[in-house]
Amino acid sequence: MFYVEILGMLPEMAKAEVRALSELGGGEVVGSDYLLVYGNVEDVSVLRRLGLAHEYGILLGSFDSAQDLLEYSSSLEWNKLIKGTFAVRRERMINCSHNVEGLDKKLGAIIHAQGFKVSLSRPDTVVRIYCGERLWLGVRIREFRGKEFDARKADRRPFSRPIALPPRIARAMVNLTRATRELLDPFMGTGGMLIEAGLMGLKVYGIDIREDMVEGAKINLEHYGVKDYVVKVGDATRIKEVFPGKTFEAIATDPPYGTSTTLPMDRDELYRRALESMYEVLEGYLSIAFPADFDAIDVAESIGFKVLDRFYQRVHSSLSRYFYVMKT
């Protein structure tokens, strides 16, 4: 069993990301308790790819009371779960319905009694208690620190443009495609989506209509150590001409919205033609963002896509958008 503590900014999209990765890991999401998502998986390492998450780990159990949690903890063989020093960290979620005052110290005393040394500042192993509708006990595997993603923000890249998705969201979009081998971004811009996919070990393909963007994306990909890429100048409405005879396992993309970009044609017509072009070359999932005032579902379904999910985000006063997950 695993747990994931997701971010609160796009919770439904974050849950869907966990579902997608748990499928890749041979398992499924079983349920959630506010920002804690849990399930089972054969290969928990697939969760290393997460974008919209604070951390993930091994779930040891859930409990109706603090006493039940402590009694269960007393029966565990902590030597199979803890390496080196440890610390217990307690998290009170907004829906916490239990008295957990001092619970972390009580659990720490139980573990310490089995011969483990406490290190509050730099523990080798972090034991986690989450308080929601129930109490949850786990052992952290990985924490996703904000600075990891901040280093890949648009303004930190050697070739930069102000309009770009945050790296966490770009990574989640890649994960929503369930990609295991490769990914295409036909509106790649400065390459943010490709950077995230490449860092996961996927081969990445990109298209942009502007040559300066293509050259800039190459600089960015190399800067972040992504080597397995093919990027070309081309038209996202004519992907077959850019990559003749090639089909793609997955596509993730964020088309221009037309607010501060001059589009080559009417915005809605561009979106329709691009969706048609993607449908011709895709053999799996598409993750894509559109402004909220574009009727993406009707257009996509008329082309042949099956729309599986959509997630709303208000970016600022003049822009709201939906993130979609579609399948051919």
Side-chain angles (χ1 to χ4, degrees), residues 42 47 106 117-118 223 228-229 293:
E42 292 177 10
L47 297 177
K106 292 176 183 177
K117 184 179 179 181
V118 176
H223 176 76
D228 198 3
Y229 65 85
D293 63 350

Side-chain angles (χ1 to χ4, degrees), residues 15 32-38 91-100 130-136:
K15 290 175 184 177
S32 63
D33 185 350
Y34 190 51
L35 296 181
L36 190 80
V37 180
Y38 58 95
E91 185 80 22
R92 285 177 56 92
M93 297 188 289
I94 198 169
N95 65 335
C96 179
S97 57
H98 303 268
N99 180 6
V100 292
Y130 287 90
C131 179
E133 291 184 5
R134 293 175 63 80
L135 291 172
W136 304 86

Side-chain angles (χ1 to χ4, degrees), residues 187 237 256 263-274:
F187 293 99
T237 68
L263 301 180
M265 64 186 74
D266 173 76
R267 187 200 71 174
D268 289 11
E269 180 68 9
L270 171 66
Y271 293 167
R272 183 185 65 79
R273 290 189 188 183

Side-chain angles (χ1 to χ4, degrees), residues 200-221:
M200 297 179 202
L202 303 175
K203 179 166 187 175
V204 294
Y205 297 82
I207 301 172
D208 202 277
I209 202 162
R210 291 174 50 178
E211 187 172 356
D212 63 327
M213 288 293 186
V214 174
E215 293 305 312
K218 290 178 183 178
I219 292 170
N220 288 341
L221 288 163

Side-chain angles (χ1 to χ4, degrees), residues 5 58 74 86 101 121 161-162 164 172 176 235 240 276 284 309:
E5 181 189 351
I58 300 299
S74 297
F86 81 97
E101 191 64 35
S121 58
R161 292 295 183 273
L176 288 169
D235 187 341
K240 286 174 68 174
E276 289 173 343
D309 275 312

Side-chain angles (χ1 to χ4, degrees), residues 254-324:
D254 180 33
Y257 301 156
T259 52
S260 60
T261 308
T262 302
L263 301 180
M265 64 186 74
D266 173 76
R267 187 200 71 174
D268 289 11
E269 180 68 9
L270 171 66
Y271 293 167
R272 183 185 65 79
R273 290 189 188 183
L275 282 169
E276 289 173 343
S277 181
M278 288 182 248
Y279 187 80
E280 290 178 333
V281 300
L282 180 61
E283 295 185 337
Y285 290 86
L286 164 66
S287 178
I288 191 167
F290 286 119
D293 63 350
F294 174 62
D295 191 4
I297 293 178
D298 281 353
V299 174
E301 289 182 343
S302 71
I303 292 168
F305 281 105
K306 181 179 180 181
V307 179
L308 305 177
D309 275 312
R310 73 171 184 169
F311 313 102
Y312 175 79
Q313 183 189 38
R314 182 181 183 275
V315 183
H316 49 69
S317 60
S318 59
L319 175 60
S320 296
R321 62 189 170 198
Y322 282 100
F323 298 96
Y324 295 86

Side-chain angles (χ1 to χ4, degrees), residues 61 63-74 103 107 110 128-130 135-137:
F63 309 91
D64 293 321
S65 70
Q67 187 59 37
D68 288 346
L69 184 151
L70 293 172
E71 288 179 2
Y72 177 76
S73 300
S74 297
L103 182 56
L107 176 57
I110 290 172
R128 290 292 259 145
I129 299 171
Y130 287 90
L135 291 172
W136 304 86
L137 177 64

